[in-house]
Amino acid sequence: MNTELIQNASKDSNKMLNHKMKILLDIGQTLMENGADCSRIVRDMRRAAVHLRIPSEQIQSHVTYTTLMLCVSDGERSFTQFRKCLKHGVNLAVLAAVSKLTWRILRGNTPLDPIERAINRIRERPLCYPDWIIALGAAVGSGGSCKLFGGSWTEALVATIAALMGFLAHRTSTRYAFNPYACAMITGFVATLGAWIIPVALGLPTMWYALVACTIFLMPGFPSINAASDLLNRFTTSGMTRAMDTMLIIGGMTFGIAFAILVAGVHNISDVHIQPTDSYLNQAIAAILAAGGFSIMFNTPKKLLAIVAIEGIVTMLIRNVLMLEFGLPQAIGSFAAAAVVGIAALKIIHIVHTPNTLLIIPPVIPLIPCVLLYRLLFAVLHIQTISVEELLEALRFGVNGVTIILAVVVGVSIPNIFIQKRIEAQQQREISAIIAQRETED
């Protein structure tokens, strides 16, 4: 067992230096497979490398969506290691745990073996919630989004049940190792068909808002925001791969939804609007359900749920006030709401000691304008029977929906655009102070 204090890489044997590189790749792989963007992966790996006494000028890293490469060269010897990332998901508790670990080992001057054991514990740790709570969280998040879109509480309940059916279908298809895009297709089909069947079985009219909200839990919010972050931080290859993955997920989901629509014989949703008409109290309750539900689905630590719920309320309040009271377009309202959440998270993370990713994405998922995208989908499915004016109107809704999505993505990415360099410089000063104190003690 290696419990000795870590020495400078120049004094390491070849075996020891490769061991250190393995630990760095373990950290990077854990982050990549659980929803971190490339900037965070490189930052956490370099922070750990400082603790492992590998000088920054001797280490080079190359990060893509499926492969991590690490090269360490001191002028006399050079080693390169690759690591494949075979699965991709979202587990915010793991991201928080790895971030805290890299700071903890740096401050505590931790030996190698305890670091390896800690990484293995993080990778093998159980989820914060049982499976049935996660399924319920995804369903409730979709139901809350239905209410935020302008539906009634009855429609929100139907959307919740339909989303639960879709989530269970997704889990089942994933368990049988189906292609992930086929899983999205199956999920979209089951959820949409469920949202149509439930009112029919109860003798009720079609609940349009339930139809458009029941699949929002499947929207690839994390991949799209990570894609924007990677592109903004010049990780172009990874950003383009994430963007393509996002498009394929949406494509699979859209195919499933379209098939369900054809089976159900649904013809028109032109009367469905996304303008919220409820009181601010009802909107606040729906925002809590949506943000809290999606946070549970993403395995956010329990202690952060209240903060995310409050952020959800603030997000909806800002968007609705700008839309309803000031008459601004929804894209501007959504951008402002996402930007406020992104900037506020920079202060909150220092209070709760957690990565900002945990606080900025779950509250903005309900901003995704499913209704507008559905209108475009219906027009495409019925292109042979609709008029030119109806087609142009549907295209206008589709462009508006894409614009809102881009506004949300750019809004939450504002810290990366304007403030990230300053944050990294501040963290580097703290790391340098820790190293200087360690060398004084040595």
Side-chain angles (χ1 to χ4, degrees):
M1 178 177 291
N2 187 356
T3 57
E4 297 180 0
L5 293 180
I6 298 170
Q7 62 183 359
N8 194 286
S10 61
K11 301 178 182 179
D12 285 333
S13 64
N14 293 346
K15 181 178 180 181
M16 177 58 68
L17 187 54
N18 276 278
H19 189 191
K20 290 182 177 180
M21 294 174 66
K22 174 187 175 298
I23 290 175
L24 294 179
L25 288 174
D26 285 342
I27 291 173
Q29 181 185 11
T30 302
L31 291 169
M32 177 60 80
E33 292 184 346
N34 287 280
D37 62 2
C38 290
S39 179
R40 173 166 299 281
I41 293 169
V42 172
R43 186 165 61 247
D44 284 11
M45 289 175 65
R46 286 190 170 273
R47 189 185 304 145
V50 171
H51 170 65
L52 298 177
R53 304 290 183 94
I54 303 176
S56 59
E57 65 273 11
Q58 295 181 8
I59 186 170
Q60 297 291 330
S61 58
H62 180 66
V63 180
T64 68
Y65 190 54
T66 58
T67 307
L68 305 177
M69 184 178 73
L70 193 65
C71 178
V72 176
S73 176
D74 60 6
E76 296 182 358
R77 52 184 180 167
S78 179
F79 298 98
T80 301
Q81 290 189 22
F82 292 85
R83 182 69 59 85
K84 298 296 292 185
C85 301
L86 301 178
K87 61 178 183 178
H88 294 276
V90 178
N91 190 329
L92 297 184
V94 168
L95 302 190
V98 172
S99 178
K100 292 178 180 178
L101 173 66
T102 55
W103 281 109
R104 189 168 65 247
I105 63 176
L106 186 62
R107 296 189 176 103
N109 201 7
T110 310
L112 288 180
D113 282 348
I115 297 174
E116 277 197 298
R117 290 197 298 270
I119 295 172
N120 290 332
R121 283 196 301 270
I122 291 173
R123 298 174 73 167
E124 297 171 0
R125 68 189 298 175
L127 298 174
C128 298
Y129 313 93
D131 288 343
W132 69 272
I133 290 291
I134 295 175
L136 190 60
V140 169
S142 298
S145 299
C146 177
K147 185 63 177 173
L148 291 173
F149 292 157
S152 66
W153 284 114
T154 302
E155 288 176 303
L157 178 60
V158 172
T160 299
I161 298 172
L164 182 60
M165 294 167 59
F167 187 87
L168 294 176
H170 188 272
R171 278 295 175 90
T172 302
S173 55
T174 301
R175 188 177 299 116
Y176 285 100
F178 288 4
N179 180 280
Y181 311 120
C183 292
M185 179 189 67
I186 293 170
T187 304
F189 175 79
V190 171
T192 304
L193 198 62
W196 173 75
I197 287 177
I198 293 172
V200 171
L202 297 176
L204 300 174
T206 301
M207 297 185 176
W208 302 108
Y209 287 103
L211 273 173
V212 300
C214 64
T215 55
I216 192 172
F217 72 92
L218 195 60
M219 291 294 291
F222 262 91
S224 60
I225 292 174
N226 282 342
S229 175
D230 287 350
L231 291 171
L232 290 171
N233 288 290
R234 298 184 178 179
F235 294 97
T236 308
T237 302
S238 178
M240 294 300 293
T241 306
R242 291 184 195 267
M244 181 59 65
D245 185 59
T246 298
M247 293 175 62
L248 289 173
I249 292 173
I250 293 176
M253 182 177 68
T254 302
F255 187 86
I257 293 171
F259 189 43
I261 288 171
L262 293 176
V263 170
V266 179
H267 297 294
N268 185 24
I269 61 167
S270 59
D271 295 329
V272 181
H273 301 282
I274 200 171
Q275 192 89 349
T277 56
D278 268 334
S279 65
Y280 284 114
L281 176 60
N282 278 333
Q283 289 283 297
I285 295 173
I288 291 173
L289 294 176
F294 292 134
S295 296
I296 291 174
M297 185 179 72
F298 296 140
N299 199 42
T300 301
K302 297 177 182 178
K303 67 177 183 179
L304 299 178
L305 287 180
I307 297 174
V308 174
I310 293 173
E311 287 183 324
I313 295 175
V314 172
T315 300
M316 290 302 116
L317 180 64
I318 292 173
R319 187 200 69 173
N320 291 349
V321 167
L322 292 178
M323 285 177 57
L324 302 179
E325 307 299 335
F326 292 93
L328 295 177
Q330 186 176 349
I332 295 178
S334 299
F335 170 79
V340 168
V341 168
I343 295 172
L346 294 177
K347 290 293 183 181
I348 300 174
I349 59 176
H350 297 295
I351 300 174
V352 298
H353 303 290
T354 193
N356 63 346
T357 305
L358 281 72
L359 302 177
I360 62 175
I361 298 185
V364 303
I365 295 295
L367 294 175
I368 304 299
C370 295
V371 172
L372 302 181
L373 300 179
Y374 258 75
R375 287 185 173 183
L376 177 60
L377 174 61
F378 268 79
V380 171
L381 291 176
H382 300 90
I383 194 169
Q384 294 180 343
T385 59
I386 63 175
S387 64
V388 174
E389 291 78 11
E390 290 174 326
L391 177 61
L392 291 175
E393 184 182 21
L395 289 174
R396 179 172 63 84
F397 285 132
V399 171
N400 192 20
V402 172
T403 303
I404 293 170
I405 293 174
L406 292 175
V408 172
V409 170
V410 173
V412 298
S413 300
I414 277 185
N416 287 332
I417 300 174
F418 298 107
I419 312 174
Q420 188 63 42
K421 294 299 181 182
R422 194 175 74 178
I423 296 174
E424 291 179 357
Q426 180 181 350
Q427 291 181 346
Q428 186 57 49
R429 287 194 296 270
E430 184 175 356
I431 291 172
S432 299
I434 294 172
I435 296 302
Q437 181 181 0
R438 181 189 296 180
E439 291 176 350
T440 301
E441 294 173 353
D442 292 343

